Amino acid sequence: MKIAIIGAGPRGLMTLERLVARHNRDHFPLSVTLYDPAGIGGMVWQPEQPLALIMNTIPIQITLFTDASVTLSGGPLTTGPNLYEWSKQVAPDWLPKQTWSTTQALRREAAQLSERGYATRALYGAYNQWFYEFVRSQAADADITFQPAQVTDLQWQSPTAVRLTAGRQHTTVNGVVMALGYSENKLTDEQEKFARHAAQNDLLYIPQRNPADAAPLLKKIEVNNKNGERVILRGLGLSFFDYVTLLTTGRGGTFAADKDGRLTYRPAGNEPHIYASSRGGFPYRAKGYNQKADGEEDVPQFLTPAKLAEWQAAGHVSGLTFWHLLQAEVEYVYYSLLVQEQYPAIDLAQLQAAMRATAHPTRSANQFGVPAAQLWDWPSLINPAQNTNAASFPRYIQDYLTRDYTEAARGTKTGPLTSALEVFRDMRDPIRQVVEKGLLSDTDYWQIFLKEFQPINDFLSIGPPAHRIQELAALVSAGIVTLVGPAMTVETEPLGFTVRSLKYPARQYRASSLIEARLPAVNYPTADNPLIQSLNKNGLLQPHTLHLNDQVQPTGAISVDRQTDALITAAGDPLANVYLYGVPTEGLHWLTTASPRPDVNDVTLKETDALVNALVGQLTRSED
């Protein structure tokens, strides 16, 4: 079997490992070539990137190895260290042999890394590099090579032959796995306007991209100590925190803590002033301090295996029912901890029984005497802006950030609010089952899941580590960062760009640099990736679409077989020897960016093994 893996990030490397594991067990001939112009680790996980950029998952919850919890599709089990274990058991001897400019810093980081701290992306990049070397060392007589090249064309010829072009090289392989990440997109009309304006007026405009790749462009932002350079960041998600870090501590600024733990920012003198906002106007909530043991998750009370089996037997579930029960899971955990902590007079066992029986935890909590001021308030959580106005906004945002990181520090097993929000992560498997089994109607999937639930899930559960929120509060207090307000709009003007809040129009600011602080949207028709464009041109792609009454709604995802990730052509036929998984399928699959997690029957580990099982099975049958 001659197989090409396009993309050498975590998914590509896991694909390689699954192939090698099967090869070692079943003894079929195997030749694998990995392609990635960014190198092993892919674009995001490079060891030589700014060390200011960190992950937002703790290292004991990050792995590339299968484990006993994983439901495999026939592949053998290969166990190995998670990121934290690797930093203590392997890195001390392995890292000194590397010649990166970051090697010494990564050695210090690995030595100091705690189980519940946050590793740099560079250290995870080193883990990816080691994993690749480990897999090669286990490969017996398999032939494994890496090409630091971009595959620009793929032409399907037969169930055992696919022709690839990378640079000037053409090669034919038996099977292909495309493990692609984010692709930068062709600029929208508005972005084209911003880019032209910047080029014509000696300004800086950075469209959506990986912040690490944009780091060299940030050098163009020079600070005049008298007037101060000003930068607009559009977006308040994870990329926003990356850019803020690169423009502050990444330029030499430091934080100091007082005796109460409150941070103060000490400028280096070359930071720009940052104006930032988004549609909602508030940054993603802090990720709570993780107190859970490896593999520990809250047990579903409402989205139970029995309930999921009932829905599957019926063939569908209402989007409103699904969303209501997911909200009930969150509220159940909140009231269980709140009552235990603050209201010993309330019989917790009886309250929990009532919450389970009614599936309306807040209603039950109110009846059992939980004060109105402490009842769960979805509208305020989802839209904090409703609690403020133009005059109070600056003070409110400072207090909001302080409350956010203070609550996060209370932990994911003891803090009522933090533990409740962690439920979104713990319920990922039931949520995925609803998506993957197609239990929602197209209309409910679009309106309730993608348009309502997904933004709420992002805002409340996939935010930065709590210390990033604490740092942001210090930067706001120091006057380095100004959060503009909700309903952000950006316009061009002769001397630069102007940002303002449509909700608070008086909050208007001018800057000479505009940065799209968001990752590119998943939308394959506009993807600026020659391979995706080639697949489309060659009739090998079909858009994933939903049917909403008499309207066809594309999700932006590329269609693949849900069980195997075999690529589906424009004619609707799955290709038996070409597979695609990961980010380009977001919208068909859900949460494809999550890092593989040990000891929870992780979906990415299962998906990779199923994909490799299908590919090897197909090529073996073809040979016979």
Side-chain angles (χ1 to χ4, degrees):
M1 295 181 191
K2 188 176 182 182
I3 294 172
I5 300 174
I6 304 172
R11 284 179 182 266
L13 296 176
M14 289 188 293
T15 302
L16 175 66
E17 189 282 320
R18 294 287 76 204
L19 283 166
V20 167
R22 285 169 181 270
H23 158 78
N24 289 344
R25 184 192 65 188
D26 299 337
H27 309 293
F28 53 81
L30 179 65
S31 172
V32 183
T33 303
L34 279 84
Y35 294 90
D36 199 313
I40 297 297
M43 178 178 66
V44 176
W45 310 112
Q46 287 302 306
E48 292 188 290
Q49 64 176 295
L51 297 175
L53 301 179
I54 60 173
M55 306 186 74
N56 73 327
T57 303
I58 61 175
I60 60 170
Q61 291 187 348
I62 298 170
T63 190
L64 294 175
F65 288 95
T66 53
D67 56 66
S69 74
V70 180
T71 304
L72 298 173
S73 297
L77 184 66
T78 304
T79 60
N82 62 38
L83 179 58
Y84 174 75
E85 293 166 339
W86 173 85
S87 73
K88 306 306 176 186
Q89 301 168 7
V90 179
D93 293 326
W94 184 82
L95 278 174
K97 301 172 187 176
Q98 311 313 309
T99 58
W100 307 312
S101 60
T102 54
T103 295
Q104 292 305 316
L106 294 179
R107 290 178 65 185
R108 289 191 295 270
E109 180 190 350
Q112 297 168 6
L113 186 66
S114 67
E115 287 186 343
R116 301 178 191 280
Y118 290 90
T120 63
R121 292 177 200 169
L123 188 67
Y124 185 46
Y127 177 69
N128 276 252
Q129 296 265 356
W130 168 81
F131 183 79
Y132 173 66
E133 292 182 11
F134 169 80
V135 172
R136 290 195 67 187
S137 73
Q138 302 297 305
D141 57 346
D143 179 26
I144 298 173
T145 58
F146 172 70
Q147 293 285 342
Q150 184 172 28
V151 176
T152 56
D153 186 62
L154 182 154
Q155 297 185 21
W156 185 82
Q157 296 177 327
S158 76
T160 57
V162 182
R163 187 173 186 268
L164 301 178
T165 300
R168 297 182 178 179
Q169 181 181 2
H170 306 285
T171 186
T172 299
V173 297
N174 303 122
V176 175
V177 177
M178 293 177 284
L180 307 180
Y182 280 101
S183 170
E184 293 183 21
N185 292 322
K186 297 172 184 173
L187 300 185
T188 64
D189 291 343
E190 182 189 46
Q191 292 170 339
E192 286 279 10
K193 180 184 75 173
F194 291 152
R196 283 196 306 271
H197 183 67
Q200 292 166 1
N201 295 279
D202 195 26
L203 307 170
L204 176 64
Y205 174 66
I206 300 178
Q208 292 158 269
R209 63 182 53 175
N210 175 28
D213 291 338
L217 295 175
L218 299 182
K219 295 177 182 178
K220 295 181 180 180
I221 300 173
E222 296 181 3
V223 176
N224 180 315
N225 288 328
K226 183 176 290 184
N227 299 317
E229 182 72 6
R230 300 176 178 186
V231 176
I232 297 168
L233 298 182
R234 188 154 72 161
L236 293 175
L238 296 177
S239 291
F240 158 74
F241 289 95
D242 289 345
Y243 280 114
V244 167
T245 300
L246 291 170
L247 291 168
T248 54
T249 53
R251 294 192 166 202
T254 58
F255 292 97
D258 63 20
K259 62 180 180 180
D260 297 322
R262 186 179 296 271
L263 294 184
T264 301
Y265 182 68
R266 295 174 176 171
N270 59 355
E271 302 91 340
H273 190 102
I274 298 168
Y275 298 103
S277 191
S278 64
R279 185 177 303 142
F282 284 73
Y284 281 14
R285 289 196 68 101
K287 186 157 288 183
Y289 174 70
N290 198 308
Q291 299 169 304
K292 293 180 177 178
D294 185 21
E296 182 180 2
E297 294 180 312
D298 279 304
V299 177
Q301 304 296 320
F302 307 99
L303 297 176
T304 61
K307 179 60 69 176
L308 293 170
E310 175 189 322
W311 291 346
Q312 187 172 1
H316 71 280
V317 61
S318 157
L320 290 175
T321 298
F322 158 76
W323 186 205
H324 167 71
L325 292 185
L326 179 55
Q327 289 174 314
E329 295 282 6
V330 173
E331 295 171 30
Y332 182 92
V333 169
Y334 171 73
Y335 291 118
S336 295
L337 289 172
L338 180 72
V339 166
Q340 183 178 342
E341 178 186 82
Q342 298 186 28
Y343 301 105
I346 295 177
D347 188 314
L348 178 58
Q350 288 188 15
L351 172 59
Q352 289 176 326
M355 290 192 292
R356 287 192 296 268
T358 65
H360 286 278
T362 293
R363 185 186 304 167
S364 297
N366 184 40
Q367 293 170 348
F368 272 71
V370 173
Q374 289 196 282
L375 294 178
W376 187 267
D377 184 359
W378 282 106
S380 291
L381 276 169
I382 295 166
N383 181 23
Q386 71 176 20
N387 300 318
T388 187
N389 55 44
S392 65
F393 184 75
R395 181 70 261 168
Y396 182 84
I397 195 72
Q398 189 75 55
D399 292 343
Y400 174 87
L401 295 173
T402 301
R403 288 195 306 272
D404 189 24
Y405 70 73
T406 301
E407 281 290 341
R410 298 188 65 194
T412 58
K413 290 178 68 174
T414 55
L417 176 60
T418 297
S419 300
L421 295 179
E422 182 71 7
V423 169
F424 279 108
R425 285 165 49 83
D426 287 355
M427 294 299 129
R428 285 178 178 177
D429 187 62
I431 294 169
R432 279 197 178 95
Q433 288 191 50
V434 169
V435 173
E436 296 300 333
K437 297 181 187 302
L439 298 181
L440 298 174
S441 70
D442 281 7
T443 298
D444 280 356
Y445 183 61
W446 178 256
Q447 299 288 359
I448 296 175
F449 190 90
L450 293 179
K451 292 302 179 182
E452 182 175 352
F453 159 72
Q454 184 64 39
I456 293 171
N457 178 70
D458 291 349
F459 180 64
L460 297 179
S461 77
I462 65 167
H467 72 268
R468 285 293 195 232
I469 297 290
Q470 190 176 16
E471 291 168 356
L472 177 60
L475 290 165
V476 171
S477 180
I480 300 295
V481 175
T482 295
L483 294 175
V484 176
M488 176 192 201
T489 184
V490 178
E491 298 167 355
T492 60
E493 52 108 69
L495 298 179
F497 301 96
T498 298
V499 59
R500 64 189 173 98
S501 164
L502 293 178
K503 184 168 183 177
Y504 312 136
R507 294 182 65 78
Q508 179 171 307
Y509 307 93
R510 178 187 299 157
S512 59
S513 299
L514 171 61
I515 300 173
E516 305 285 4
R518 298 162 291 150
L519 288 172
V522 178
N523 186 38
Y524 92 81
T526 61
D528 194 17
N529 180 316
L531 176 59
I532 291 178
Q533 293 173 4
S534 160
L535 292 168
N536 198 22
K537 180 185 69 177
N538 295 338
L540 299 179
L541 292 189
Q542 182 180 88
H544 174 241
T545 58
L546 303 172
H547 296 274
L548 315 180
N549 298 322
D550 58 351
Q551 177 188 358
V552 175
Q553 176 64 58
T555 64
I558 295 172
S559 286
V560 295
D561 181 277
R562 280 195 181 277
Q563 277 66 53
T564 66
D565 288 307
L567 187 66
I568 295 177
T569 68
D573 302 315
L575 292 177
N577 56 339
V578 180
Y579 296 77
L580 169 72
Y581 77 142
V583 174
T585 67
E586 182 70 31
L588 168 67
H589 293 312
W590 177 66
L591 208 61
T592 57
T593 56
S595 299
R597 183 175 173 181
D599 302 317
V600 295
N601 196 16
D602 182 82
V603 65
T604 306
L605 295 170
K606 287 190 293 185
E607 186 181 17
T608 306
D609 192 68
L611 182 158
V612 169
N613 182 59
L615 174 59
V616 171
Q618 163 61 28
L619 295 180
T620 301
R621 288 190 298 273
S622 296
E623 267 193 8
D624 294 342

